[in-house]
Structures are given as structure tokens and as C-alpha cells.
Amino acid sequence: RRLLQAAKKANQTGHFIWVGSDSWGSKISPILNQEEMAEGAVTILPKRQSIKGFDRYFISRTLENNRRNIWFAEFWENNFQCKLSRHAVKKGSGIKKCTNHERIGKDSSYEQEGKVQFVIDAVYSMAHALHNMHKDLCPGKVGLCSKMDTINGTLLLKYIRNVNFTGIAGTPVVFNVNGDAPGRYEIYQYQIVNNITEYKIIGHWTDQLHLDTNEMQWPGESQEVPSSICSQPCRPGQRKKTVKGIPCCWHCENCDGYQYQADTYTCKMCHFDLRPNANHTGCDAIPVVKLEWSSPWAVIPVLIAVLGIMATVFVVATFIRYNDTPIVKASGRELSYVLLTGIFLCYATTFLMISTPDVVICSLRRIFLGLGMSISYAALLTKTNRIYRIFEQGKMSVSAPRFISPASQLVITFSLISVQLLGVCIWFGVDPSQAIIDYEDQRTANPKMARGVLKCDISDLSLICLLGYSMLLMVTCTVYAIKTRGVPETFNEAKPIGFTMYTTCIVWLAFIPIFFGTSQSAEKMYIQTTTLTISVSLSASVSLGMLYMPKVYVVLFHPEQNVPKRKRSLKAVVTAATMSNKFNPKGGLRPNGEAKSELCESLETQDCVEGGEPCEGL
């Protein structure tokens, strides 16, 4: 009653649907004057029947025939609102003296107490238990025997639990192992229909629930069943986290990140190559991506590579066409073709880097990514080293240095290149190449953006090791280019090579921060591949443009300069070059662009050419 009062005071009419035990049952007193608060309440009462024999007996009871009940006199006074003693009647109190002619049910209202059936069955249970106990302990004896003089309560309880008979209402009376009788209940609902209130039977319980929901009615005469739960059902992709001590209540927790709902109470991580589906109820395969030919990240490097290959083929064709002309011979034909081969491989590497990775492609990447640069820089290093040794030797003696013939130069170049190939072969032996799918590279916080990257198993460290030898050749070549910077430019290729190496160093210095600075980027695969291929192509383009395009230009558009000049001795050539550089850095140039002296075209024949181009082999 006080709960209903508190709910009414809080203005929660119609908010709560009450569930009451048999203490509430179908009583009027708890809901008196607050019926609207109790509307819809569901209560229970033990299932019972009115015992007609008891009504006849009880109505016939009077003070004369029921003296054995010491509480009956008090009941009589309360029931008839009178007093049995004249002295107890006070004037003006409105209470009369009992006449002993009052009759129950006639001079007062009467309704059988609901638990009469159970009291009768309880008495009979005790009687049956005592009877059975007497038969076992005192067989054939009338009255109590010595074994029952003092009743053993534990033994009596055992007999009570074992009784089995039909009760006063026709229902069986038995007890389970816990000593409880079978539950038989009437289920009521307090309803208000057209301002008329009643406890209406809506079902019963006999071993299981029988509920007629069509008979139920909710606040406001609604037929819709209200939500009456501690916690709302969890949505798909959520797990239940039960509240401690309240198993019917829980909190719903999202299976977030890469988790999926394994069961009602558990979230589990998807396998490394899977991601949760849209509602996190299962896992789907992570899409695999690679650098596509149609991607802008690939189109630009491919365009540069195609143009570079066309330019390289054009230079090679020109050199082959004019192979015996002074300009081509003075360029050092053998090393030039080696260098052009390296430049071609640098451009071709772009196509390997963009092709779909597999075992063959990954193997070719390992071989040719560093090989093209190694061939180029090995040839350039051999050239600058030869120039340096010739002029250093010329300062001290007129004798030619060792190993400056074309054959020696090729041996030196291929020896340097073989170091790169040897390192790659060792790498193949230790760790065979393979294509892998990297699911960690683009494993973003948002599973929807996760991607697997199809790539070769070349780590950033392995890439540095692969290019490291080429970088060493490049730095060494740059050092020799600096050392030979004082040689007049018309005598040899030292200065063009120097400019080539300076520019190449700048390109690779820019490459390093871009390549490693994007290692955590979601676009890492695209940025690093594009940066690497463009850097390699630019290095090749610098060498091609600075070393060979001027020669091609002279060969094709100024053939008058591509003619042999007078021959001079090695001593004269070296002396002229040294003195010209010492006393007049610009003295090596005549007004018409011809050199005052030239280096040997062939050390074996001491043939020299005069003009604006260096000798063959230099």
C-alpha cells in the first residue's frame, strides 16, 4: 500500500506494472483509494475451493456449543460489534451488549477464509503421518506404545513427507524432497473496465504456467503488452554483460574494432586475414589490393619509363649507326654501351615494380632493381677513375697508367657489377623470394578501411641493402668526379660526369625522407613504389641527358664537328692539358670552340684527335 502511495506521489500513474505475491492476492485493502495506481497489477493466490461442510459447521457455531475454542468469544465480540460483559460497555460508545442470539452469516457478513482447505489438509497430513508411524512402530496395538511415548520429531517429519492422499477439495496431497506441496495457483489481474474494478482470473499454475493473454488488460484499457524487462535485448553485434547478482539484467557492449559476436556473451577477434561484417556478427575476408596499371600512381612512372626507354633506344641506335665516327669513338664505345644498358634496365625496372607480384616478378625485382643502377654507376666509376689516374700519372711521368685499355675497363666494370650479382645470389639462397599478402600494412582502426597488400617479401631494410651497393658506387664516383673537376672539360667527360653525379645525389637525398617518411601512411604502397621508380628513372635520365644527348646532337645536327683532327703524342697531349689547366683554366678553348690539345684516341697507336670532344676510352 505504501509503495502504491509513493508511486502516486511521484506522479508515476500507469508507469509501473506490479507483480504481487499471495500476500496481495485479491485483497481490497492494499489498493483502497488508489485503484488507478494498481491497474494492471498481476497477483497470485493458492488455488483453492470453498468447503461447503465447513460453512455449515461454522455458521452453526455459538457461544454455547463452541466453548472449547478459547478465542471464539473474542471473535464473537469483533464479528457482531458487541461486548459479552456489561461492565465493558461504555455509555455513548455505541457498542451494545451481546445477547447470545446473534448468528454468523445472518447478523453479520460471512465469507469462508481462503486457507481453510489447506488447514484441513494440513491436519489430515499430520493424522496420516501419525497413523502410518503407529502402524510401523506399534503394529496391532491400540493406543500408543512405548516407542511413541516420546515422539521423535525427525522421524515424524519423514512420515509427513511420505503421505499421499486425496485432500478435502479432491486434489492430491503430496510433498516433494524439500517438503513443499505441489504449487497450484490462480493468477489474477486487477482491471478497471468502465470505472468498475475487479480481480480477474487470467490463468493458473499447475506444474506449469497457463496464461490467457486475451483476458489481460493494461493501464488505459490497452491490449498491447507493455515492455516489462530489466534490460532491452542486445542488437546484433553486441554481447551481454550480466549485472553481478542479477542474472536477468545485463548491459549491452558493442563488439568493436576487429571483434565479432561469437555468442550471446562473448566477442572474439577475427582472424588476421578477416574483418567483421557490417553488424559484427561474423567475419569476412579482407579485400586484397595491389598497384594497378590504371592508377595515377602507376601512370606517371610508366610514362617516364616509356619516354626514357625510347630515348635510350634512340641513343643506342645513333651510336650504332655512327659507331666509327670520332665522337662515338671518343666516348669510349665499350663502356658507353654498358652504361646505356644499365640506363635501359633502370627504366625497365618500373614495369617490374608495377607488375602483379608473384614468385617470378619478385625474383626479377631482386635482380634488376639494383642491377641497372650498379651497371650504370660501375661504368661511370670506371670512367672517372681512368681519367683521374691518367692525369695524376701525367703530372709525374709520360708513361701510361696500367689498366686503361678498353678491355681492362670492361673487366673492372664487370667485376664491380659481379659484386651486386653475388649479393643477390646469396640473398636468394638465404631467403627465396615469394609474394605475400601483408594484412598489417593497411590494418586501420576502422575495419571497413582495412586492406591486404599483395607485395613481394622485400622489407624496407632489405631494399636499402639491395640499393646500398649502388649508392656506394654512386658516392665513390662522385668523389672521383670532384677530384677530376680541375681537368678542362674539353679534354674528357669528367665534368659532365661530375654534374651527373651531383644531380643524382640530390635526387636520392630527396628520395630517402619521402620513402621512409611515408612508412606509416595508408598510401604507403603507392607512394613508396612511385617514389622509388621515379627516382631510378630520374637517375637514368640525368645520365642519359648530360652524357649522351650532347653527343647525339653533334652527331646528327653538326656533322662538320664530327671529323678527325691532327694527331699528337701522349706526352704533348698530357702536357698541354696540364699546363692549360694550371695557367689558364679557359685556355683549353679556342675561339671557335676547338681544344688546343687532345688526349690520346688509342694508347697503343698514340693516335690523337683535335677538337671539342674527348678521346675514346676517356
Side-chain angles (χ1 to χ4, degrees):
R1 180 171 180 82
R2 294 180 65 184
L3 266 176
L4 296 176
Q5 290 173 349
K8 185 175 182 180
K9 185 177 181 180
N11 195 26
Q12 295 295 317
T13 302
H15 178 75
F16 295 108
I17 302 297
W18 307 96
V19 178
S21 68
D22 58 345
S23 297
W24 182 337
S26 59
K27 296 177 182 176
I28 299 299
S29 57
I31 61 174
L32 189 63
N33 298 325
Q34 45 192 11
E35 290 81 0
E36 70 282 358
M37 292 304 305
E39 184 179 6
V42 176
T43 64
I44 62 173
L45 273 179
K47 194 171 186 178
R48 61 199 179 182
Q49 294 182 13
S50 180
I51 309 302
K52 296 181 179 179
F54 179 83
D55 287 341
R56 291 194 300 270
Y57 168 78
F58 194 77
I59 290 173
S60 66
R61 294 302 89 192
T62 64
L63 293 172
E64 285 77 14
N65 61 17
N66 199 26
R67 293 184 181 276
R68 66 182 182 85
N69 191 332
I70 60 175
W71 294 287
F72 191 73
E74 183 179 352
F75 163 78
W76 194 273
E77 290 180 337
N78 289 332
N79 189 51
F80 295 108
Q81 295 295 310
C82 63
K83 293 293 182 179
L84 294 174
S85 173
R86 181 181 297 274
H87 301 290
V89 177
K90 296 180 180 179
K91 292 183 179 180
S93 63
I95 298 177
K96 61 182 180 179
K97 183 180 180 302
C98 298
T99 63
N100 202 22
H101 296 294
E102 296 90 357
R103 292 293 178 265
I104 299 173
K106 182 178 179 181
D107 299 313
S108 66
S109 61
Y110 167 75
E111 182 180 0
Q112 186 179 125
E113 166 60 42
K115 295 181 174 60
V116 168
Q117 169 190 346
F118 308 115
V119 174
I120 295 174
D121 288 342
V123 173
Y124 273 106
S125 296
M126 181 67 73
H128 280 286
L130 287 171
H131 178 70
N132 295 335
M133 186 178 182
H134 184 268
K135 286 197 304 181
D136 292 342
L137 298 181
C138 307
K141 183 175 178 62
V142 178
L144 296 179
C145 64
S146 59
K147 292 183 179 180
M148 292 187 68
D149 282 344
T150 302
I151 298 295
N152 185 332
T154 302
L155 184 61
L156 177 59
L157 177 60
K158 179 181 178 181
Y159 279 98
I160 292 174
R161 289 185 173 182
N162 288 331
V163 299
N164 188 348
F165 64 95
T166 302
I168 192 67
T171 57
V173 177
V174 293
F175 299 97
N176 60 21
V177 294
N178 297 318
D180 297 321
R184 287 184 288 269
Y185 296 93
E186 298 280 3
I187 303 175
Y188 296 84
Q189 186 181 41
Y190 186 70
Q191 298 180 356
I192 302 177
V193 180
N194 298 326
N195 294 325
I196 299 174
T197 63
E198 66 170 331
Y199 284 99
K200 187 171 184 179
I201 296 177
I202 58 173
H204 66 274
W205 173 278
T206 306
D207 297 328
Q208 62 180 356
L209 178 65
H210 301 275
L211 191 65
D212 186 1
T213 55
N214 294 326
E215 294 292 331
M216 301 182 73
Q217 182 175 298
W218 308 102
E221 300 185 9
S222 173
Q223 296 295 325
E224 183 179 352
V225 180
S227 176
S228 180
I229 53 177
C230 176
S231 303
Q232 293 289 342
C234 294
R235 297 191 301 271
Q238 293 182 331
R239 76 176 186 95
K240 290 181 179 179
K241 183 179 180 181
T242 56
V243 178
K244 187 176 181 180
I246 313 177
C248 294
C249 298
W250 59 81
H251 301 299
C252 294
E253 288 188 350
N254 291 325
C255 296
D256 53 7
Y258 287 83
Q259 295 180 330
Y260 71 98
Q261 182 184 3
D263 54 44
T264 305
Y265 300 97
T266 309
C267 292
K268 291 185 178 180
M269 292 292 293
C270 291
H271 197 253
F272 74 94
D273 59 344
L274 302 175
R275 64 180 181 180
N277 55 22
N279 56 9
H280 287 257
T281 56
C283 296
D284 297 332
I286 296 178
V288 177
V289 297
K290 61 182 181 64
L291 185 57
E292 301 290 345
W293 291 98
S294 58
S295 169
W297 296 100
V299 170
I300 296 176
V302 168
L303 179 62
I304 296 174
V306 170
L307 294 176
I309 290 175
M310 293 172 61
T312 305
V313 171
F314 177 73
V315 171
V316 171
T318 302
F319 268 49
I320 293 175
R321 171 68 178 80
Y322 298 95
N323 189 56
D324 294 325
T325 61
I327 291 292
V328 176
K329 293 170 68 178
S331 299
R333 288 173 294 185
E334 293 79 4
L335 285 183
S336 290
Y337 289 130
V338 172
L339 177 56
L340 288 170
T341 301
I343 292 174
F344 177 85
L345 290 178
C346 288
Y347 288 124
T349 301
T350 297
F351 299 96
L352 292 176
M353 297 301 296
I354 297 176
S355 299
T356 301
D358 55 30
V359 174
V360 175
I361 292 297
C362 293
S363 300
L364 293 176
R365 284 186 187 181
R366 287 191 182 186
I367 296 172
F368 290 105
L369 181 59
L371 183 60
M373 296 176 62
S374 295
I375 293 174
S376 301
Y377 297 134
L380 288 175
L381 176 59
T382 304
K383 277 195 173 191
T384 52
N385 175 264
R386 181 172 185 259
I387 295 169
Y388 173 76
R389 289 188 295 115
I390 287 176
F391 278 89
E392 286 297 309
Q393 181 76 10
K395 294 178 183 179
M396 298 177 292
S397 171
V398 295
S399 61
R402 300 174 62 186
F403 309 119
I404 62 173
S405 66
S408 299
Q409 298 297 289
L410 288 177
V411 171
I412 294 173
T413 301
F414 286 118
S415 297
L416 294 173
I417 295 171
S418 65
V419 175
Q420 173 75 23
L421 292 175
L422 178 61
V424 172
C425 290
I426 295 175
W427 189 7
F428 274 122
V430 174
D431 182 19
S433 62
Q434 58 180 336
I436 61 173
I437 300 177
D438 187 353
Y439 291 98
E440 294 298 328
D441 197 27
Q442 293 193 25
R443 191 177 181 85
T444 58
N446 183 2
K448 294 181 180 179
M449 305 302 295
R451 297 292 184 270
V453 179
L454 178 61
K455 65 179 185 179
C456 295
D457 60 335
I458 302 178
S459 63
D460 292 348
L461 179 61
S462 300
L463 182 64
I464 291 301
C465 295
L466 182 64
L467 298 178
Y469 180 67
S470 301
M471 299 294 180
L472 177 62
L473 293 177
M474 180 183 70
V475 172
T476 307
C477 186
T478 303
V479 172
Y480 275 108
I482 294 173
K483 287 185 176 183
T484 58
R485 67 186 184 278
V487 178
E489 60 183 80
T490 53
F491 293 116
N492 54 74
E493 293 179 296
K495 289 189 177 179
I497 291 175
F499 291 137
T500 298
M501 300 317 301
Y502 306 151
T503 307
T504 303
C505 287
I506 293 173
V507 170
W508 287 101
L509 285 175
F511 160 80
I512 292 174
I514 295 175
F515 186 88
F516 292 99
T518 57
S519 60
Q520 302 300 323
S521 171
E523 304 291 335
K524 171 185 174 181
M525 174 185 68
Y526 306 106
I527 297 175
Q528 291 189 343
T529 303
T530 302
T531 303
L532 178 60
T533 53
I534 290 180
S535 296
V536 173
S537 295
L538 286 180
S539 299
S541 300
V542 168
S543 300
L544 187 67
M546 290 190 173
L547 297 179
Y548 292 103
M549 286 305 174
K551 294 178 175 56
V552 172
Y553 175 78
V554 172
V555 169
L556 296 179
F557 298 104
H558 293 283
E560 70 278 2
Q561 298 181 14
N562 192 16
V563 293
K565 301 297 181 179
R566 61 185 177 87
K567 298 179 181 180
R568 300 167 65 180
S569 67
L570 174 63
K571 179 179 179 180
V573 171
V574 174
T575 303
T578 305
M579 297 304 293
S580 174
N581 184 51
K582 181 176 181 181
F583 296 106
N584 184 10
K586 296 185 178 181
L589 289 176
R590 293 176 181 173
N592 62 355
E594 294 182 353
K596 291 181 180 179
S597 58
E598 303 79 16
L599 295 176
C600 284
E601 183 183 77
S602 174
L603 291 175
E604 289 79 3
T605 61
Q606 299 287 307
D607 290 337
C608 297
V609 296
E610 182 181 34
E613 296 301 329
C615 294
E616 179 182 7
L618 235 55

